[in-house]
Amino acid sequence: MRPTKEQLGHILDYLASNDHHFEIKTYVIQKLRTYAEIHPKFKALLQMCLNERPHINNYHILGQKGFTSVLARPLSSSPAFNETLLSVQEVHKGVLRRGSVELLLTAGEWAASTFKLGIFTNGLESFMGGNNEVDGEMEDDDEEDKEYDPISAGMEISVNGILHRPLIFFTGKAELMSHIWSGTVSEPTPAFQGTMLGHDHEHYLLLTSGATAHFTVIGARSVDLNGKAGFSLWNRNANTEIKQETGNAVYGKVKVGFTYATVTHEFVYSYEPKIVLQAHIDFYDELKLCMRLQRPEMVINVKNTKSAALHSTFDYVKTVHKNYSQKIPGHTIALNQKNNNMCSMVAKDLQH
């Protein structure tokens, strides 16, 4: 995404049009803001275009009323690489149409997707009463919405950039009601479980002193993705929770050997990050959608073992162990101000 000044100007001019697709306008605004946070050059170009358009650079245009959200939040940083969470939630007529949460590893201008979870729905607007009104204004209907739209929902999972077969939750209203009445997903239900090889490297190096250096690094990642949901047709609300639990371990060994001595250094690096996405939906009188994205507390463990051995008439071996751990406190990732307002309204209703 590297638009020219002219292309960016056309995109901004669209925001001031009479188009009543507020969700699309909200998506465009948040996408531009998210991209500007990551790329300073684009941020300067965006600010320049906004300064040239005072009729757009105001709250009336930039404060769209849609529920769609696009955001990128840093999860961890290190000298070698950074980990970023990218979330895109597309809402249509007050109902989530397509949403995705993606974990990205970035190093300079290089970026790679390690895990992506996507949710897609279709036809669930009928549970909202079929009302297209948003804050007193009517949203335009697409041509496809005028025809019969079957109800369906599913999940897409991508691991290391490889897209797996989509998982279909239900197709048709009868199958949906069957899941609701039977409480199919009222308990945590696994959606994806697997173990992947992250590192596998072995290298020999002959030193000028005559010794041989042997390097070995091997790592693995185990992922457990599960979710649960609860529905109440009487109270017209729903609660969902999606949890990703990951276990990572890296083992490394450096061994330098002479004919009379051997020096070895081994290490084990392990940690178990988790991400929890919770959502509370209340559509009793008006739509209230509260989402909370959390990263629970995480502990990083490092074990080091250094040993030196002399091979002579009497063998001598000395081993030193050193272990340490670092606790990373949990935190809740800020989404946007509109979500904060919705969560305040939901919390106020739950207290009564």
Side-chain angles (χ1 to χ4, degrees):
M1 180 180 175
R2 294 182 179 179
T4 62
K5 183 178 179 181
E6 182 180 0
Q7 292 173 338
L8 183 57
H10 290 317
I11 295 175
L12 295 176
D13 291 337
Y14 163 73
L15 300 177
S17 65
N18 295 326
D19 190 356
H20 287 173
H21 287 88
F22 304 113
E23 299 296 346
I24 297 179
K25 292 184 177 181
T26 303
Y27 175 83
V28 172
I29 293 174
Q30 298 202 17
K31 186 68 174 180
L32 294 176
R33 288 175 176 172
T34 301
Y35 196 76
E37 292 176 358
I38 303 175
H39 300 84
K41 292 184 179 180
F42 178 78
K43 182 178 181 180
L45 178 62
L46 177 61
Q47 190 62 43
M48 181 188 303
C49 293
L50 288 175
N51 293 336
E52 295 176 356
R53 295 169 172 81
H55 64 287
I56 295 178
N57 191 16
N58 55 73
Y59 179 79
H60 178 68
I61 300 298
L62 299 183
Q64 294 291 332
K65 60 189 71 176
F67 292 97
T68 298
S69 65
V70 180
L71 59 93
R73 294 290 185 269
L75 293 180
S76 62
S77 60
S78 64
F81 61 88
N82 299 325
E83 188 177 17
T84 304
L85 175 71
L86 177 63
S87 174
V88 179
Q89 310 297 327
E90 302 176 20
V91 179
H92 180 62
K93 297 181 182 178
V95 178
L96 180 67
R97 173 60 66 90
R98 179 174 291 272
S100 66
V101 178
E102 185 175 9
L103 296 178
L104 299 173
L105 288 181
T106 59
E109 296 183 355
W110 177 85
S113 174
T114 59
F115 192 88
K116 182 178 181 180
L117 169 66
I119 301 291
F120 58 89
T121 65
N122 189 37
L124 294 182
E125 296 85 0
S126 59
F127 284 88
M128 304 299 298
N131 188 10
N132 299 343
E133 187 174 349
V134 180
D135 291 350
E137 299 187 36
M138 297 296 294
E139 283 192 309
D140 296 334
D141 282 334
D142 297 332
E143 292 296 331
E144 60 181 14
D145 293 335
K146 296 180 181 180
E147 301 177 359
Y148 173 72
D149 219 2
I151 294 177
S152 62
M155 175 188 296
E156 296 175 335
I157 299 176
S158 175
V159 181
N160 293 333
I162 300 176
L163 182 63
H164 292 249
R165 178 180 296 180
L167 175 64
I168 305 300
F169 296 151
F170 56 84
T171 302
K173 185 175 294 186
E175 190 172 347
L176 170 61
M177 298 304 296
S178 175
H179 286 304
I180 293 177
W181 290 114
S182 61
T184 306
V185 290
S186 58
E187 297 295 331
T189 303
F192 177 83
Q193 293 177 329
T195 301
M196 297 158 285
L197 183 64
H199 307 274
D200 189 4
H201 178 74
E202 187 174 10
H203 183 65
Y204 286 90
L205 183 64
L206 297 177
L207 306 179
T208 56
S209 60
T212 301
H214 179 208
F215 302 89
T216 302
V217 178
I218 186 170
R221 167 180 290 186
S222 179
V223 179
D224 180 13
L225 178 68
N226 59 78
K228 64 178 181 179
F231 303 91
S232 175
L233 296 180
W234 179 262
N235 296 320
R236 300 192 69 180
N237 58 28
N239 292 278
T240 63
E241 180 183 86
I242 299 176
K243 182 184 297 184
Q244 178 187 333
E245 299 175 303
T246 308
N248 299 276
V250 178
Y251 168 78
K253 181 179 180 180
V254 180
K255 183 177 181 180
V256 180
F258 297 87
T259 56
Y260 57 88
T262 302
V263 179
T264 306
H265 179 203
E266 297 178 89
F267 70 89
V268 178
Y269 179 87
S270 62
Y271 63 103
E272 298 180 2
K274 300 178 182 179
I275 295 179
V276 181
L277 176 62
Q278 297 174 327
H280 177 84
I281 307 172
D282 187 347
F283 46 93
Y284 187 81
D285 49 0
E286 59 177 339
L287 176 66
K288 300 184 185 72
L289 173 61
C290 173
M291 300 179 63
R292 183 168 60 177
L293 186 61
Q294 294 178 303
R295 181 154 198 177
E297 182 181 275
M298 180 177 62
V299 179
I300 299 177
N301 298 310
V302 180
K303 298 181 180 180
N304 286 282
T305 302
K306 298 180 181 180
S307 62
L310 297 178
H311 309 296
S312 60
T313 306
F314 300 97
D315 292 340
Y316 171 80
V317 178
K318 182 178 181 180
T319 303
V320 177
H321 300 278
K322 184 178 181 181
N323 304 330
Y324 66 90
S325 60
Q326 179 182 359
K327 182 179 295 185
I328 300 178
H331 60 275
T332 300
I333 301 174
L335 299 180
N336 51 52
Q337 186 59 39
K338 184 167 295 185
N339 183 74
N340 295 343
N341 297 336
M342 285 289 179
C343 291
S344 299
M345 296 172 60
V346 170
K348 184 177 180 180
D349 294 340
L350 294 177
Q351 291 177 356
H352 294 295

